[in-house]
Amino acid sequence: MLFQFKKIVVLLVLTLVFSSCEKDDSISPVVTPEVVAEFKANLSELNLFSGNLNQLIITEKAFEYNINTTLFSDYAHKQRIIALPTGTSLQFNGDGLPIFPDNTVIAKTFFYNSDERDLSLGKTIIETRILIKINDNWETGNYVWNETQTDAILDTEGSTVPITWIDTDGNPNPTSYKIPSSTDCFTCHSNSDRILPIGPKLRSMNFNINGVNQLEQFISNQQLSGVASSSSVRSLPNWEDTSLSLETRARAYMDVNCAHCHIPGGTCADQSTLNLAFETTLEDSNILDQIALIDYRTSFYLEGISMPFIGTSMRHTEGLDLVQSYLNTLN
């Protein structure tokens, strides 16, 4: 009788265990939310990041991209990401910008490490710039991070943020970082009165990162279609690569820092004949006709006069010295 009772107890326990397991199996897996392709009041509402927002952990619904020669932004670091609608990809369209599907979201977050000698001391995130393609047109929006670094608020007015960061030599660098207004965004991103991305051209993304070609990775991940190999795409050189010629490095620097305005259709096209796209020949670029003016306007920083015209609050010593060294060879 006692044996029979124990047997019943064991069966009851096993029934409860299996029942519990069945309940666990029925729990739905966590679903990563889709990226929201519209301008919400708070950056967190766009679902571009997972976990704590200030960790900048990219959602599984997006991917990071980098460019070989970067735009100078007062020495700020940048995280660049693209979020494509599910089931879509970038479409090959030559060496320049690929064709982005509607509802693509491009985000670029600007931040400073507190101390470049010790990254464990954290960072200060300033802003996240957003481009969204809606009905075949790109729209811009800036999100300014709050002091507690918990979220960023949509802002169209622009502002100046004082920040001090320590470089690798241990020197403090006080900076008056300028967050652009909507007008500023249009100035740089406009071509023939249409807003376009600046950075994610295929030729700018065609380089190796940790031994792996970035475009090959995009092709393998089905994030880029219409091209079989990165060998079909030209590469914009890295201006910091000292193994390259002075002309190559200077022209690459001018391409990414100046050509979005100084090309046909750019904001400065009505005021200047310069065409600073890297592929443009020296003769067709009109650099030779404006050596003195370029040299003058890159030799110092004064808002509204020096170049780049907007987007910085200081002279980029390394890059602009390179440009001036190149100009000296043309005299």
Side-chain angles (χ1 to χ4, degrees), residues 169-190:
D169 294 324
N171 300 315
N173 291 266
T175 303
S176 296
Y177 182 92
K178 294 186 176 181
I179 297 174
S181 65
S182 295
T183 302
D184 293 333
C185 293
F186 183 81
T187 298
C188 286
H189 284 273
S190 174

Side-chain angles (χ1 to χ4, degrees), residues 2 18 37 61 101 122 158-159 176 200 202 204 275 281 286:
L2 181 60
F18 282 117
K61 302 290 186 175
S159 58
S176 296
L202 293 189
S204 298
N275 182 349
T281 65
N286 291 316

Side-chain angles (χ1 to χ4, degrees), residues 22-311:
E22 288 174 359
K23 288 179 181 179
D24 288 342
D25 290 341
S26 67
I27 296 175
S28 300
V30 176
V31 177
T32 303
E34 297 290 334
V35 172
V36 176
E38 60 182 283
F39 292 103
K40 298 288 190 177
N42 301 307
L43 179 63
S44 56
E45 297 177 87
L46 272 61
N47 299 332
L48 286 165
F49 302 101
S50 302
N52 293 331
L53 204 67
N54 60 12
Q55 297 299 311
L56 299 181
I57 300 171
I58 301 171
T59 173
E60 296 175 358
K61 302 290 186 175
F63 60 94
E64 186 171 13
Y65 74 95
N66 287 285
I67 59 177
N68 202 25
T69 278
T70 60
L71 181 74
F72 176 68
S73 302
D74 287 0
Y75 298 100
H77 293 280
K78 303 168 191 177
Q79 181 201 60
R80 304 171 179 85
I81 63 177
I82 295 173
L84 301 171
T86 300
T88 67
S89 63
L90 305 172
Q91 297 289 318
F92 176 73
N93 192 35
D95 299 328
L97 290 170
I99 298 173
F100 297 85
D102 268 349
N103 298 317
T104 294
V105 179
I106 300 176
K108 186 162 63 170
T109 298
F110 296 71
F111 64 91
Y112 289 90
N113 292 318
S114 299
D115 190 332
E116 291 290 345
R117 302 168 303 173
D118 185 358
L119 300 187
S120 69
L121 295 177
K123 59 183 176 289
T124 300
I125 310 172
I126 306 294
E127 61 165 330
T128 297
R129 301 178 188 176
I130 300 290
L131 279 167
I132 303 177
K133 191 174 184 182
I134 303 172
N135 296 326
D136 201 36
N137 290 302
W138 289 96
E139 298 184 12
T140 66
N142 272 21
Y143 287 84
V144 180
W145 284 70
N146 59 27
E147 291 185 6
T148 56
Q149 302 280 275
T150 56
D151 210 337
I153 311 302
L154 183 63
D155 179 86
T156 60
E157 300 302 316
S159 58
T160 299
V161 178
I163 187 170
T164 298
W165 55 279
I166 298 175
D167 61 29
T168 53
D169 294 324
N171 300 315
N173 291 266
T175 303
S176 296
Y177 182 92
K178 294 186 176 181
I179 297 174
S181 65
S182 295
T183 302
D184 293 333
C185 293
F186 183 81
T187 298
C188 286
H189 284 273
S190 174
N191 188 278
S192 299
D193 293 325
R194 291 196 70 189
I195 293 174
L196 293 173
I198 293 173
K201 300 179 178 72
L202 293 189
R203 63 175 171 79
S204 298
M205 299 188 289
N206 189 14
F207 69 106
N208 286 356
I209 301 176
N210 298 323
V212 178
N213 181 276
Q214 183 172 221
L215 291 190
E216 294 289 349
Q217 193 70 46
F218 293 166
I219 294 169
S220 176
N221 293 341
Q222 299 182 328
Q223 295 156 339
L224 172 63
S225 58
V227 61
S229 168
S230 61
S231 61
S232 301
V233 181
R234 285 183 293 184
S235 297
L236 182 69
N238 181 357
W239 73 268
E240 296 182 275
D241 184 354
T242 56
S243 69
L244 301 174
S245 70
L246 178 62
E247 179 180 23
T248 296
R249 296 173 59 212
R251 290 296 304 274
Y253 182 88
M254 287 191 283
D255 178 283
V256 76
N257 284 278
C258 314
H260 43 274
C261 288
H262 289 285
I263 53 173
T267 301
C268 296
D270 293 337
Q271 308 158 30
S272 168
T273 60
L274 286 171
N275 182 349
L276 298 180
F278 183 78
E279 296 82 7
T280 308
T281 65
L282 177 60
E283 291 73 23
D284 291 338
S285 71
N286 291 316
I287 291 174
L288 292 170
D289 297 331
Q290 300 190 42
I291 292 174
L293 182 59
I294 298 172
D295 181 69
Y296 170 70
R297 298 187 74 175
T298 59
S299 64
F300 63 95
Y301 174 77
L302 182 61
E303 186 175 5
I305 296 179
S306 56
M307 290 288 148
F309 192 62
I310 59 175

